[in-house]
Amino acid sequence: MTKRVSVLFVCLGNICRSPTAEGVFRKLVEQARLQDQIHIDSCGTSNWHIGKGPDSRSQQAAQKRGVDISSLQARQFSEKDLDTFDYVIVMDRQNLADVKDIWHQNGGTEPTLFLEYGRSDVAEVPDPYFGGEGGFEQVLDLIEEAGEGLLRKIQERLA
Ligand code: 4NP
């Protein structure tokens, strides 16, 4: 069966926030038994970590919440993604600016900030790469909450 909706999560490196979002959202989608209908992927605006797995701190933090992201491999965002994905969801305003630059030239799906789907007052998923352990937990909290909102939105669309 062809999937009906596709979702792409985008951050800078594709080794911390967007693979975490991919794993957490995949789990939410499986719990809702919608895995045959929703395609999920992630990528980074930079080419810094292409082919690498998620940061070990992200893997560990996700594992503690029952989410296994160990098999993911970083790839770089491409303008083609704006033509193929229904949702292009970025983590922070810098990601938004970078993807919007390409969107203005290419057209296609307009990128949106992930936390617009959540209820928190926080607007961006902060980059945890140079910070301490707590940053990875905060990333997961924000992603879980916004992921539930995003799933509700897609469920309305599929209904
Ligand atoms: P991400 O985090 O964008 O959430 O994957 C980062 C990963 C690596 C770097 C920056 C942010 N870096 O500077 O290499």
Side-chain angles (χ1 to χ4, degrees), residues 8-14 18-19 22 41-45 74-78 81:
L8 179 66
F9 295 104
V10 186
C11 63
L12 175 60
N14 194 210
S18 62
E22 178 179 347
D41 194 7
S42 69
C43 66
T45 55
R75 75 164 175 92
Q76 189 173 19
F77 172 80
S78 142
D81 292 320

Side-chain angles (χ1 to χ4, degrees), residues 122-140:
V122 185
E124 306 179 281
V125 182
D127 183 350
Y129 189 67
F130 293 109
E133 193 119 327
F136 291 86
E137 296 300 326
Q138 190 199 7
V139 163
L140 275 157

Side-chain angles (χ1 to χ4, degrees), residues 8-12 17 43-46 77 82 87-105 109-117 123-125:
L8 179 66
F9 295 104
V10 186
C11 63
L12 175 60
R17 292 164 294 174
C43 66
T45 55
S46 77
F77 172 80
L82 297 173
Y87 292 84
V88 175
I89 297 181
V90 303
M91 300 296 140
D92 64 29
R93 293 194 182 94
Q94 185 60 55
N95 307 148
L96 189 64
D98 291 341
V99 175
K100 271 210 172 162
D101 273 351
I102 297 167
W103 175 71
H104 282 303
Q105 294 168 31
T109 299
E110 184 173 359
T112 50
L113 278 169
F114 192 16
L115 297 191
E116 281 176 16
Y117 297 96
E124 306 179 281
V125 182

